[in-house]
Amino acid sequence: MQKPKKAQESLTVMTEMIFPNDTNTLGNLMGGNLMRLLDIAGAIAAQKHCNRIVVTASVDNVSFKEAIPLGSVVTLQSKVTRAFNSSLEVVVEVWAENIPAGTKIHTNKAFLTFVAVDQTGRPIEVPPVEPETEDEKELYAGALRRRQLRLVLAGRMKPEEAVELKEIFKV
């Protein structure tokens, strides 16, 4: 087993300005363009954690809470929440800032899963995550439930085998 790495070591901050070619006909960032940025920011954090090539395995629910208008400065912050055998879950938070107006809003949060691969494209073991802060510990604990939900939805795990996931439904 590899030596654990602190979640903070994978922290990545990426900033982009939204230009006309990034927007839809309403002048807001197109959803697909945001998803591309989420994927890039998440992949960088995953690579920083395991020092390996990573490929995207899944993207959990992406909710578009707030529109991101033309001219906004978008900041994406990502970090690894938990590592499994060869896969890593990464959380990406998104903020949109209107610099002239002095406003900044949280617009999105998404969880992505990446798989570390060797030079031939085969999955390879990744180091575990060592959460330190309360927030990191909460994300770490929730990652197992989110993973089980992804596996059940993909048909790779039977619902009755998702023990951690079932715990949240017990009253």
Side-chain angles (χ1 to χ4, degrees):
M1 180 177 226
Q2 297 184 38
K3 179 183 171 192
K5 292 178 110 177
K6 294 177 180 12
Q8 201 63 24
E9 291 179 58
S10 68
L11 181 65
T12 299
V13 178
M14 190 170 104
T15 305
E16 294 275 334
M17 180 171 260
I18 305 308
F19 292 105
N21 63 330
D22 301 319
T23 64
N24 59 25
T25 54
L26 296 174
N28 295 316
L29 178 63
M30 292 181 73
N33 287 337
L34 176 62
M35 291 174 66
R36 178 181 176 277
L37 295 173
L38 290 167
D39 195 28
I40 292 168
I44 293 169
Q47 279 192 336
K48 283 172 81 171
H49 178 80
C50 62
N51 198 31
R52 291 289 186 171
I53 297 167
V54 298
V55 294
T56 309
S58 71
V59 178
D60 286 7
N61 180 32
V62 179
S63 297
F64 300 94
K65 299 187 301 186
E66 300 283 340
I68 301 175
L70 172 66
S72 295
V73 173
V74 176
T75 302
L76 297 94
Q77 182 174 308
S78 58
K79 80 174 153 183
V80 174
T81 60
R82 190 163 183 168
F84 297 95
N85 296 323
S86 60
S87 66
L88 308 99
E89 183 192 74
V90 176
V91 63
V92 185
E93 301 266 0
V94 183
W95 290 268
E97 186 174 5
N98 180 328
I99 293 174
T103 59
K104 188 174 185 176
I105 57 170
H106 183 262
T107 62
N108 302 81
K109 179 178 182 177
F111 291 94
L112 295 89
T113 304
F114 295 89
V115 175
V117 295
D118 64 17
Q119 302 312 96
T120 65
R122 293 204 168 126
I124 190 165
E125 184 183 7
V126 297
V129 173
E130 187 178 303
E132 295 182 301
T133 67
E134 285 308 310
D135 184 49
E136 289 172 354
K137 290 174 184 175
E138 189 176 309
L139 287 167
Y140 181 90
L144 184 55
R145 292 186 294 274
R146 288 185 295 274
R147 179 176 191 258
Q148 288 182 354
L149 179 58
R150 283 189 288 271
L151 292 172
V152 167
L153 291 174
R156 294 178 53 210
M157 177 184 268
K158 294 178 182 170
E160 58 273 10
E161 295 171 350
V163 178
E164 293 291 323
L165 185 56
K166 288 194 301 190
E167 287 298 314
I168 64 174
F169 295 106
K170 288 189 177 180
V171 179

